[in-house]
Amino acid sequence: MAKVPEQIEQELVQALRAGDIEGAEAVTERALEQGVEPLDLIRGAIVPALTDVGEDFQRLEIFLPELMAAGDAAEAATAILEDAMASAGEESASLGTVVIGTVENDVHDIGKNIVGTLMRSHGFKVVDLGRDVAPSAFLDAAQKEKADVVAMSALMTTTRPSAGSTIGLFEEVGVRDEYKMIVGGGSVTDAWAVEIGADGFSEDAAGAVKLCKSLLGVG
Amino acid sequence: MHSNILPEIVKRSENGPFMKEGDFERALSRRTGELVREYGLAFDGDVPVPSDDDMADRLYQAGLDLFLDMGVYNQSTERRILFERHEVEELVALAPGRLELGTGKDTVIMRHREVEGTTPATVLSGPTGTPCSEKYHPLILLSCAQEPLVDMLGAGSVSTYMGHQIIPGTPLEMMGSRRDAVVAREAVRKAGRPGMHISDVAVSLTCQGKLAAVDRENGLRPSDAFLVSQMVELKTDYDQLSRVAYLKAANMHIVDLMTPLIGGLGGGAEGTAVVTIACHILGVVLYSASYHMMSHTHLRWVNNTDRMGLWMQAMVGQALSRNTPIPALNDIYTVSGPGAPELLWECAAGAVAGTVSGMNMQGAGTTGGFETDHTTGLEARFIGEVSHACLGMSRRDANELVLELLTHYEETFNNPNRGQPFPEVYDENTVEPKEAWLEVYHQVRDEVQGMGLDLDGAWKKVRHG
């Protein structure tokens, strides 16, 4: 990986931390004009900056609005870089595709949204199915998007059985081994994850990113 | 606006501005941040119970502005329900400030409370946000209902029905809902308080599941209440609004449940306080709520006994007390559990901050809701005792007291003492606290008395004047 010019790196990191979408886009365009490789910019500036932002959020030194703004700015910059890579016939920089949603009957999605934001910022392609997602909807999306990971969130003890039902459906149709299936959310524990046969569990968003990287052997 | 507001709410839900939910959240976050700056709202961790009337009033105005600017997001239609300022001000002014809850000799009066006032707070308890097993749920409810300082009972939530996981929308949900209502009714009867107000049966997630708990003889009655929830932040849907339609027609009490997240869409304590004021206004305007349950929690620890949570409770309580007639409740959420002294210290801090700031009492939501059956009536007794001992206390004195209380538990948030489940701390036959839990209670109680709170005399004064 080639080193990103210091000024470009600093300006991009600054724009991302400030949630400045226009600024992040402008620096990204300038970097491309100067011949910086898209992958270098992603790995050398965007991922480290968003990792720092994510860690600040985990410590609640910053709050969700700042995290969301940084994620939006990173997404805007990454979109430009993805376009550039596609034009040059290069492969996507994505670490993998994660299909994420809150399980059936559960309408609490803020935790799931935080996980999605952090996943994107770390270079995963995230397909967010929203809340109250039926097991069959997880299956359809996983197949359609050729997902690597299916991530399910459940806040309540009354809704978490649906995560087990979803894993059961994947087994029933014979595709369980094609995906890593992970769970998280207020009502989910490590023991519950083991009980329903999930591949992994995380109690927070940063842990979910690490878990995905570990399961896929990337990053 | 006339009293039957729901047709107008539906009309605005169908015709208000379309907005994707993610865009609504971003706009809400952005506007909240602007309002925090415009109104000069500032959290100070060294002053968890501020005495700043002007800031309390500015906070209320910021919350009102947020409600008017954003409206309420209806997830069913993906449209915003908007209101004019004069409509909101009129409906807030019309909101009830005094409620009769329960029936007969067990009726309690919940009032709008004043800042630093002497009006006693009512105490609502039950397994608030703490899941229960089928086996111990009846005993846990009885342990709360039999506490003399507990005025109202929350029925809580059990996630199984005869060992089967309850799946929302299935017959099991309806059966579980009816079962929990019967258990709650039986608990107040066993406690010798058959007319005690029961506040919600929490297991059901759907409208039909909730309403299945209505049963004049053995379940919930018109003198009882159901929660109508808001989704974070400032969101509703037709399922929730349909509950309002039924409960108003059935002449039952509506409780406005809000669960703002500190560190979430509102940002820090100041922004989340602004959002929480707007949530209370939502409860008045959309839900016609009898009373309001403020269940704000820290995004990571799922409690509100940290400095930000206490500050929010104090500031929102004062803002509502000074600017509205509504009765508000603090919902004390702790990281600790029964058997742990930290639980009682957390409860004390929440009770002090809330009482002097005009709130009624609710609690405790122990262990952040992470541990099953980790809840008992003893901590509710302590909340009542501390609250009654704070009547008439100045906010300045309350602040000093809260700072001292914080030193007993603040360091445990990242490694909390979750305590023990009900059968380890209560005798299953007599439904009395076991010696070890009582010892912890008396030890903390003595120390709190040593800080100047008259826990022995205050509740007697409340009862007998």
Side-chain angles (χ1 to χ4, degrees):
Chain A
M1 185 175 78
K3 177 113 179 72
V4 176
E6 198 168 319
Q7 192 179 350
I8 291 283
E9 184 188 335
Q10 279 179 0
E11 285 182 27
L12 185 53
V13 168
Q14 200 175 357
L16 295 179
R17 289 196 76 97
D20 176 2
I21 292 177
E22 286 174 8
E25 287 174 335
V27 181
T28 304
E29 299 278 14
R30 190 145 49 82
L32 289 173
E33 284 164 17
Q34 290 179 17
V36 177
E37 287 296 323
L39 264 181
D40 291 340
L41 204 57
I42 290 172
R43 291 178 184 161
I46 295 177
V47 169
L50 270 291
T51 302
D52 287 348
V53 168
E55 285 170 1
D56 288 351
F57 176 72
Q58 284 301 117
R59 293 189 293 268
L60 276 197
E61 287 168 3
I62 61 167
F63 303 115
L64 186 55
E66 289 86 357
L67 177 74
M68 284 164 58
D72 288 348
E75 208 169 332
T78 307
I80 292 170
L81 297 171
E82 291 276 0
D83 282 350
M85 290 164 76
S87 303
E90 294 174 28
E91 281 188 16
S92 161
S94 168
L95 295 180
T97 299
V98 179
V99 163
I100 191 169
T102 306
V103 300
E104 190 167 33
N105 292 309
D106 201 323
V107 297
H108 302 85
D109 62 358
I110 198 156
K112 180 264 297 172
N113 294 343
I114 293 168
V115 173
T117 301
L118 272 187
M119 293 268 196
R120 277 191 196 95
S121 70
H122 279 261
F124 287 98
K125 178 188 173 190
V126 176
V127 179
D128 188 345
L129 304 181
R131 55 178 178 270
D132 190 9
V133 179
S136 61
F138 275 111
L139 179 63
D140 288 347
Q143 291 179 321
K144 183 179 164 210
E145 301 292 341
K146 298 186 170 44
D148 299 292
V149 177
V150 176
M152 295 169 283
S153 169
L155 184 78
M156 310 179 80
T157 50
T158 43
T159 59
R160 69 179 188 180
S162 185
S165 308
T166 303
I167 292 173
L169 180 65
F170 276 62
E171 282 170 354
E172 193 179 329
V173 299
V175 298
R176 172 68 182 86
D177 294 341
E178 294 175 26
Y179 309 99
K180 299 295 182 189
M181 302 189 78
I182 64 172
V183 288
S187 68
V188 177
T189 61
D190 207 2
W192 170 257
V194 171
E195 190 179 327
I196 63 172
D199 294 307
F201 152 80
S202 172
E203 63 182 7
D204 59 39
V209 174
K210 279 185 196 161
L211 176 64
C212 281
K213 285 183 174 179
S214 159
L215 287 170
L216 300 181
V218 296
Chain B
M1 274 193 161
H2 55 71
S3 57
N4 187 7
I5 195 175
L6 281 172
E8 185 63 29
I9 299 293
V10 173
K11 183 178 161 193
R12 294 185 193 188
S13 293
E14 296 291 328
N15 298 294
F18 171 80
M19 203 172 198
K20 288 185 176 171
E21 194 166 341
D23 293 337
F24 179 82
E25 291 180 346
R26 282 172 173 76
L28 182 138
S29 272
R30 206 165 37 243
R31 185 66 188 127
T32 302
E34 290 167 1
L35 287 165
V36 166
R37 289 188 290 278
E38 276 174 33
Y39 282 94
L41 305 172
F43 162 70
D44 179 354
D46 292 332
V47 190
V49 185
S51 310
D52 186 340
D53 288 343
D54 192 62
M55 183 157 70
D57 294 344
R58 295 198 311 272
L59 171 61
Y60 183 77
Q61 289 305 318
L64 177 58
D65 283 2
L66 181 68
F67 184 82
L68 293 170
D69 292 345
M70 295 305 304
V72 177
Y73 190 80
N74 187 331
Q75 294 175 327
S76 303
T77 61
E78 298 180 277
R79 290 179 186 277
R80 291 156 63 205
I81 311 168
L82 297 174
F83 296 90
E84 300 290 332
R85 181 176 289 270
H86 70 89
E87 293 174 327
V88 173
E89 288 176 346
E90 188 180 315
L91 288 166
V92 169
L94 285 168
R98 178 187 182 281
L99 304 162
E100 289 189 18
L101 301 170
T103 58
K105 68 175 176 54
D106 301 317
T107 304
V108 293
I109 310 294
M110 182 191 285
R111 293 179 175 85
H112 169 81
R113 295 188 63 251
E114 64 278 29
V115 176
E116 300 180 357
T118 54
T119 304
T122 49
V123 180
L124 168 62
S125 187
T128 317
T130 308
C132 294
S133 65
E134 286 185 77
K135 185 174 179 184
Y136 293 114
H137 183 230
L139 300 182
I140 289 169
L141 288 188
L142 178 55
S143 80
C144 296
Q146 71 187 3
E147 284 294 338
L149 298 188
V150 169
D151 300 303
M152 304 163 286
L153 181 68
S157 181
V158 178
S159 61
T160 56
Y161 183 81
M162 294 182 75
H164 299 275
Q165 279 288 339
I166 293 174
I167 302 168
T170 68
L172 286 179
E173 183 191 40
M174 207 166 268
M175 293 159 86
S177 182
R178 288 191 67 80
R179 185 253 341 256
D180 288 358
V182 169
V183 167
R185 177 63 55 210
E186 187 59 18
V188 298
R189 282 178 181 150
K190 271 190 181 165
R193 306 166 85 180
M196 183 185 245
H197 175 72
I198 298 174
S199 183
D200 199 47
V201 168
V203 62
S204 34
L205 297 181
T206 67
C207 182
Q208 74 263 26
K210 281 274 178 206
L211 304 187
V214 177
D215 184 326
R216 245 170 217 279
E217 189 55 33
N218 293 309
L220 269 62
R221 308 163 173 167
S223 57
D224 299 322
F226 281 101
L227 299 180
V228 179
S229 302
Q230 303 183 29
M231 278 64 78
V232 288
E233 307 287 4
L234 284 183
K235 297 176 195 166
T236 188
D237 62 20
Y238 278 149
D239 184 273
Q240 300 295 334
L241 291 168
S242 296
R243 299 171 200 206
V244 175
Y246 177 86
L247 294 168
K248 285 181 82 164
N251 199 23
M252 293 187 76
H253 290 285
I254 293 168
V255 186
D256 163 32
L257 173 66
M258 67 201 81
T259 53
L261 289 167
I262 305 169
L265 292 173
E270 310 93 324
T272 313
V274 173
V275 170
T276 306
I277 294 290
C279 290
H280 279 85
I281 295 172
L282 186 161
V284 171
V285 173
L286 259 76
Y287 294 170
S288 307
S290 292
Y291 56 97
H292 304 259
M293 202 173 272
M294 177 176 157
S295 302
H296 61 301
T297 51
H298 188 278
L299 191 63
R300 180 149 44 112
W301 299 315
V302 199
N303 70 329
N304 52 34
T305 53
D306 64 306
R307 288 172 192 248
M308 285 198 288
L310 293 166
W311 183 91
M312 263 191 67
Q313 193 187 136
M315 285 311 302
V316 170
Q318 292 173 36
L320 293 170
S321 177
R322 291 174 54 80
N323 292 279
T324 78
I326 67 172
L329 270 85
N330 65 341
D331 191 353
I332 301 172
Y333 261 77
T334 69
V335 295
S336 319
E342 291 88 352
L343 170 59
L344 299 172
W345 291 115
E346 288 187 80
C347 286
V352 172
T355 301
V356 302
S357 301
M359 307 289 275
N360 287 279
M361 298 290 112
Q362 184 186 357
T366 58
T367 74
F370 286 109
E371 303 290 340
T372 300
D373 292 333
H374 279 56
T375 179
T376 77
L378 191 59
E379 57 267 23
R381 179 195 305 179
F382 195 57
I383 289 171
E385 287 178 325
V386 172
S387 174
H388 292 333
C390 292
L391 296 180
M393 182 185 282
S394 73
R395 285 168 287 179
R396 211 169 295 283
D397 288 345
N399 186 63
E400 293 305 312
L401 188 53
V402 166
L403 287 172
E404 197 174 345
L405 293 166
L406 274 161
T407 63
H408 290 271
Y409 65 86
E410 196 176 19
E411 297 301 316
T412 69
F413 290 149
N414 287 322
N415 188 22
N417 184 350
R418 302 292 197 198
Q420 295 173 295
F422 186 84
E424 300 300 318
V425 291
Y426 261 63
D427 184 301
E428 293 179 44
N429 296 310
T430 63
V431 196
E432 291 290 341
K434 287 183 178 173
E435 202 54 44
W437 185 205
L438 271 179
E439 210 169 283
V440 170
Y441 162 76
H442 283 297
Q443 187 193 331
V444 175
R445 193 176 188 278
D446 287 349
E447 285 191 59
V448 169
Q449 293 215 95
M451 294 174 182
L453 288 186
D454 179 14
L455 299 184
D456 288 328
W459 67 266
K460 293 175 193 160
K461 201 170 162 190
V462 164
R463 288 297 159 99
H464 307 297

